[in-house]
Amino acid sequence: MRPEAVLDQTVLQAIVDEMSPILTGQALDDVIQLETHRFLLRFAEAPFPRVHVGIHPRLTTMHLARGTRAPSAPTELAVGMTREVHGRRVTRIIRLAGDRVVRLELEAGRALVIELMGRAPNLLLVDGEGRVLRSARTAQTELRGSAAPDAPPGSPEWESVTFKAAIAGLAKDERLEDRLVREWHGFSSRLAAEIGHRARGGEDPWAVFAELSGRIAGGDWSPNLYSPGDPAGLAESTPLSAGNLFAYMLPLTSAEGLTATPMRTVNEAEEAATVCMVRHLAFQSQHQSLTGLLRREQRRITALKSVLSAELAQAASGGEEDRRRGELILAGMHAARKEGALVRVVDHYDPEARLVEVPIDPRLDLNENAQRYFKSARRRERTRELLPQRIEALERRHLAVASAQTRIAGLATGAELEDLERDLQAGRLVKAFRRTERAEVGRKPQYVQVREFRTSDGFTVLVGRTGGENDHLTFKVAGAHDLWLHAAGVPGAHVIVRNPRRLAALPDRAVLEAAALAAWFSKGKNEKELDVHVTWKRHVRKGKGMSPGMVMLKRHRTVRVAPAARVSTLVDD
C-alpha cells in the first residue's frame, strides 16, 4: 500500500456528482483554514453547505461536511482566498480528465482547483486564464489548465481498450487483480480489485465489469464505509490506511475482513472515513511523540549511569592514593627535592624508606601541593558517599521509564495518552513542556526539554537549551511573577526561577544561585565572574523580527557572580 491516502477516482466522481446539484448556484461565503493541510469552504445560502478539503498526504479527501468547527483566528492564506471568492456563485463543478483534480468554477473568472493526487496535494485559487493567484502549497507551475471532465462510465472512452484487453487476456490469470491495477492507471483501482476478486471466484470478468459499470453509470449506488470494525467503536490506536478505511458507492466482495457500514450518500461515507482517520492520526502523532520522549530519556539515563559508574570507580581507586601523596609531601618537606613537575620524597610507608616521585604543580609550593592532594582526597570520599545514591536513583528512574514505555504500548485512546502525560509530568519522569501549537493532522507534538534545578532554599529553576526553546520557556512556560535571568553581553540560556506564591522579592541566596547557573550556561562560563541581568518575566519583551532567543528588557538589575553548574541539586539526575 502506498503511503498516501489516495482517493479512489470513481469515488471522487461520485462525490462530485452528489455535490453538483447542491453547490451549483450557491454563493461562496469564505474559505477557512482548519489546519495547514485542511480547509473548509462555507457557502452563504440555505442549506448552508460546507465542503471539507484535506490535502495532507495521509488525508487526501474532499466531501460535504457537517458541524465542523472553525478556528477563531483566520490565517493569511484563508483571508486572501476569501477576499477573492466571497459572494461569487458556483457555476459548475467538474473533475478533470484522468486526474484526481476537481475544479469549482466561480463567477467572474475565478476557480478553486483541488488537486488530490500524489505526495503533494494542493488547493489553489486561479483566475480565468489558469494563473495561480493563491495556493496552499508552493505551486510547481504558474498555470492550471481547465481540461475537459472525465467521460461518464459506460462511454467508449471510459471503457478503455487497455482495460478491456487486460480483462479479456487475464481472465484465467491468478494475478489478475495486480495486473489490472498496474495496467489501468486512470481507472478505479478499487473497482479493478473487485473484478479480479470475483473473476478468481469463477465469474466472467466481462459480466462483472458490465454489471458494476452499469450500476455506477446509472446511479444505482449503495454507499458503504469500509473499516476494520464498527466505526463508532473503532479504537484510535487501530492502524488505518487507504487499504482498510475507505468509502465506496457499491458493495464489495473483495473487502474481506472489513465491516461495511451503510450510508445514505457517498459524501457521508467519505466524511465518516475522514473522522476516523483524523482521530487515528492525532492519536498516532501524540503516541510517537511521547514514545520518542521516553526513549530519549532512557538513553540519557543509560549514558549518565555509565559516566557516574566510571567516576565512582576512579574515586574508589584514587582517594587513598591522593591522601598518601599529600602526607608524604608534608612529612618529607625538609628533605624533598623538586625536579620540575615532580618532587622526590622519602616513602615512609615503605619499610626500606626508599625515595618516590610525586607529581606536583611547579607553580605552587610544596605545602600548597599537599593541600591540593588532601582536597582531592576529600572530594573523592564525598564522591564515594554520594554517587551510589545517585546511581540508585537513576536505577529507579530507569525502571519507572521502562514501566511507562510498557504502559504506553497498551494505550488505545488519546484520553489515555493525556493521562499518561500528566502522570509523567507529576512524577518528573518527563522534564519537558509541550509546545502550545494548534494540533495538526500528521504532525507530532513537540516537547521543549529544559534543565531543572532546585536552589538550596527550595525554589525550582528552569534553564533553556536552544534559542527557540529559550523563547518557549520565557513566553509560554514562565509566569509574569517568575524571575528571569540571563548572562549580560554574551549568548546564553534563559533562566527562570519559579515564583508560585508571587513573592514581591525572592531571597538573595536563590537569586545568586540562579544567576550562577545563568552565567554557567552562557558563552562566558570560563570567566572568573560575570554580570547577569535579573528581572521579572513581565518586563521581558520580544521585538518584531528578533531572532530566536533575543529579547528586550523593560527594566532590570545586574548581579555579578562566579559561573557555577552545581550551586544546587539537579533534579532527578
Side-chain angles (χ1 to χ4, degrees), residues 362-558:
R363 296 170 298 179
L364 304 177
D365 62 32
L366 291 180
N367 183 61
E368 290 173 327
N369 274 286
Q371 296 306 318
R372 287 188 65 181
Y373 274 118
F374 291 141
K375 183 177 181 181
S376 175
R378 290 193 298 271
R379 185 169 60 248
R380 291 175 187 270
E381 287 175 2
R382 288 196 302 271
T383 298
R384 288 199 302 271
E385 294 173 1
L386 298 177
L387 282 193
Q389 301 174 16
R390 292 194 63 197
I391 293 173
E392 183 180 351
L394 285 174
E395 290 285 359
R396 292 194 299 269
R397 188 174 181 83
H398 175 88
L399 293 175
V401 173
S403 175
Q405 289 174 313
T406 302
R407 177 181 168 188
I408 196 173
L411 300 185
T413 67
E416 292 174 340
L417 287 177
E418 295 288 343
D419 289 342
L420 173 61
E421 183 180 354
R422 282 192 291 269
D423 291 346
L424 294 175
Q425 295 283 8
R428 297 189 180 278
L429 286 180
V430 172
K431 292 183 292 186
F433 300 90
R434 195 196 300 191
R435 286 190 185 275
T436 53
E437 299 173 322
R438 186 168 60 180
E440 295 266 345
V441 166
R443 175 185 290 178
K444 292 189 290 187
Q446 292 185 329
Y447 289 89
V448 179
Q449 291 185 281
V450 297
R451 307 173 185 91
E452 185 175 346
F453 294 79
R454 192 87 70 222
T455 65
S456 55
D457 44 5
F459 287 89
T460 298
V461 182
L462 305 178
V463 181
R465 293 175 182 265
T466 67
E469 293 179 350
N470 280 335
D471 279 353
H472 188 87
L473 177 61
T474 296
F475 298 108
K476 300 296 184 181
V477 176
H481 297 274
D482 290 344
L483 199 66
W484 184 94
L485 304 95
H486 189 281
V490 293
H494 292 195
V495 175
I496 298 295
V497 183
R498 289 296 209 182
N499 182 20
R501 291 179 292 168
R502 299 190 176 189
L503 301 176
L506 298 188
D508 290 343
R509 185 173 184 178
V511 174
L512 292 176
E513 289 180 356
L517 282 172
W520 179 265
F521 290 108
S522 76
K523 295 293 186 181
K525 63 180 294 183
N526 295 323
E527 301 291 332
K528 288 186 178 181
E529 288 188 329
L530 200 66
D531 286 339
V532 174
H533 292 326
V534 182
T535 187
W536 298 114
K537 183 269 169 184
R538 60 179 175 270
H539 299 316
V540 183
R541 299 286 186 271
K542 185 77 175 178
K544 185 176 181 180
M546 279 188 167
S547 58
M550 295 290 291
V551 297
M552 299 183 298
L553 304 182
K554 186 176 179 181
R555 65 182 67 169
H556 69 276
R557 63 188 176 97
T558 301

